[in-house]
């Protein structure tokens, strides 16, 4: 009998990647979402039916944070995570054959801006502000209540690199000569943005904000590894063991693409540009320094522990031309 995999929120690039992998491996993949899904949000009976007998439940649902943090978008970022997680928890609790393990997306952004030391599950310090509040509340909702037959793991994912990820716009910038570091600096703050926790304070200098990342193949690899480790539950950092920083990451990306130089982007450019394309500068200026302490201690071996091979793999899969020396 084939495995039964339930994926909620599979419309994003991570969900599509996981669904394609499991289907190719012969599993029965059931989707939870909106149009065309096997169960739709708001249908309690359908949700209970799809999770019943499942071998694993993976929840990736939630509005992308790659948007402008308006009042409406902030409310939807919260709602889309909390309501969907609550509905799944109620479905699992109502099932007479609940999945033995439930992986719920979380984010490494839950940790504070870190330039002094890496954040681990045991020693990391949680931060403050809107994005951190989202992560804290999301995890609290996930771990609420008793589910004695279902192990719960919160995947605190670093920036996931793959075809369709946040890497795509950086590839475009680098190819057009704009692939220098993103440089923090002073910027004015409104009272509203400070009250909402969405203003990024100037800290890291010279593009040295840390860049924690993970190849999408290791997201899948981590999930499969954690399935075999029943002693591991709670939050788990999903991040490559060798984080970089913004300046080094952009230089590595240029090298992979064979682009000799790239103009830097200063804070004022980033603020104006992010307003135009409706996103936030925090996504590139916060220093995320996260390491996968629990995965490494349990013996997981990363397929892509280092940044340059990971970038070369992704660029190669996108069939973009590489410099002759890298072939």
């Amino acid at each position: 009998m084939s495995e039964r995999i339930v994926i909620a929120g599979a419309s994003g690039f991570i969900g599509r990647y996981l669904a394609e992998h499991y289907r190719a491996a012969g599993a029965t993949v059931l989707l939870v979402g909106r149009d065309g899904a096997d169960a739709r949000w708001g249908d309690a009976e359908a949700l209970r039916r799809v999770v019943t007998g499942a071998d694993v439940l993976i929840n990736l649902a939630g509005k992308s944070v790659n948007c402008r943090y308006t009042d409406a978008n902030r409310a939807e970022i919260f709602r889309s995570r909390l309501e969907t997680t609550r509905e799944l928890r109620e479905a699992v609790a109502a099932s007479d054959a609940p999945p033995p393990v439930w992986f719920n997306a979380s984010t490494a952004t839950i940790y504070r801006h870190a330039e002094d030391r890496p954040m681990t599950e045991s020693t990391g310090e949680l931060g403050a502000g809107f994005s951190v509040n989202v992560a804290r509340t999301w995890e609290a909702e996930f771990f609420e209540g008793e589910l004695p037959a279902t192990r719960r793991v919160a995947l605190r994912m670093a920036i996931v690199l793959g075809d369709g990820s946040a890497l795509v716009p950086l590839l475009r910038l680098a190819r057009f000569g704009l692939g220098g570091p993103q440089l923090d600096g002073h910027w004015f703050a409104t009272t509203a943005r400070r009250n909402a926790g969405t203003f990024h304070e100037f800290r890291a200098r010279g593009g040295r904000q840390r860049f924690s990342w993970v190849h999408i193949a290791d997201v899948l690899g981590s999930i499969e590894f954690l399935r075999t480790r029943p002693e591991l539950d709670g939050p788990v950092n999903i991040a490559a063991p060798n984080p970089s920083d913004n300046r080094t990451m952009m230089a590595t990306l240029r090298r992979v693409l064979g682009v000799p130089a790239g103009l830097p982007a200063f804070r004022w450019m980033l603020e104006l540009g992010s307003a135009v394309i409706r996103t936030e500068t925090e996504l590139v200026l916060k220093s995320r320094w996260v390491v996968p302490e629990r995965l490494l201690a349990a013996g997981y071996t990363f397929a892509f522990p280092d940044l340059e091979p990971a970038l070369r793999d992704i660029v190669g899969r996108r069939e973009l031309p590489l410099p002759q020396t890298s072939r």
Side-chain angles (χ1 to χ4, degrees):
M1 182 180 296
S2 67
E3 283 198 309
R4 181 183 172 99
I5 310 294
V6 177
I7 303 177
S11 59
F13 90 101
I14 299 174
R16 293 195 303 271
Y17 180 91
L18 296 180
E20 289 172 6
H21 165 81
Y22 285 119
R23 285 188 178 122
T28 298
V29 177
L30 300 178
L31 304 181
V32 178
R34 294 186 291 273
D35 296 337
D38 299 285
R40 300 183 64 176
W41 299 116
D43 187 339
E45 176 55 28
L47 291 173
R48 185 199 64 78
R49 187 172 60 251
V50 297
V51 302
T52 296
D55 293 283
V56 60
L57 169 61
I58 303 170
N59 179 32
L60 305 168
K63 176 180 172 57
S64 172
V65 296
N66 186 17
C67 64
R68 202 69 176 164
Y69 292 160
T70 62
D71 289 347
N73 282 342
R74 293 201 310 276
E76 181 60 15
I77 286 170
F78 268 109
R79 187 209 64 79
S80 61
R81 285 160 173 75
L82 302 187
E83 287 188 7
T84 53
T85 300
R86 184 180 307 120
E87 287 187 47
L88 289 174
R89 191 182 68 246
E90 291 171 352
V92 171
S95 173
D96 55 5
V101 60
W102 173 7
F103 297 102
N104 210 73
S106 182
T107 172
T109 298
I110 197 169
Y111 299 109
R112 65 169 172 82
H113 177 105
E115 300 176 56
D116 55 333
R117 64 178 179 84
M119 302 287 106
T120 70
E121 298 94 336
S122 63
T123 64
E125 299 173 76
L126 304 191
F130 169 70
S131 297
V132 172
N133 289 340
V134 170
R136 284 175 179 261
T137 309
W138 196 8
E139 288 192 5
E141 184 68 52
F142 175 48
F143 291 116
E144 178 69 23
E146 296 293 326
L147 297 177
T150 301
R151 176 166 55 103
R152 286 176 279 186
V153 181
L155 305 174
R156 288 182 176 173
M157 288 184 279
I159 295 173
V160 180
L161 302 183
D163 190 0
S165 69
L167 181 64
V168 174
L170 296 179
L171 287 168
R172 294 196 190 104
L173 288 175
R175 290 176 65 81
F176 283 102
L178 301 174
Q182 284 89 47
L183 303 174
D184 206 346
H186 294 287
W187 191 251
F188 67 91
T190 64
T191 301
R193 284 175 67 78
R194 285 196 182 279
N195 289 342
T198 61
F199 178 72
H200 171 76
E201 298 286 355
F202 168 39
R203 283 167 289 198
R205 297 178 181 272
R208 294 302 182 188
Q209 63 269 29
R210 303 292 297 193
F211 177 75
S212 286
W213 58 276
V214 63
H215 191 292
I216 192 168
D218 279 312
V219 175
L220 170 62
S222 297
I223 289 172
E224 285 300 289
F225 177 82
L226 289 165
R227 287 182 65 187
T228 69
R229 297 297 189 278
E231 72 278 10
L232 294 179
D233 60 4
V236 176
N237 290 346
I238 309 298
N242 299 313
S244 184
D245 61 40
N246 179 267
R247 178 177 289 274
T248 303
M249 185 272 293
M250 294 305 296
T252 305
L253 187 58
R254 294 196 308 271
R255 184 164 60 250
V256 167
L257 293 173
V259 177
L263 296 174
F266 296 93
R267 177 75 182 266
W268 67 269
M269 298 177 183
L270 295 169
E271 292 289 347
L272 296 177
S274 64
V276 170
I277 65 173
R278 312 308 294 165
T279 188
E280 294 287 343
T281 56
E282 175 197 53
L283 300 178
V284 294
L285 294 180
K286 180 175 179 177
S287 186
R288 297 170 174 85
W289 192 354
V290 181
V291 295
E293 178 184 59
R294 298 189 73 192
L295 279 176
L296 292 176
Y300 178 67
T301 300
F302 281 80
F304 293 94
D306 298 304
L307 182 60
E308 185 161 341
L311 292 176
R312 290 193 180 279
D313 177 78
I314 294 164
V315 169
R317 291 176 186 273
R318 287 178 58 82
E319 297 182 349
L320 296 174
L322 293 171
Q324 191 66 37
T325 56
S326 68
R327 292 186 185 276

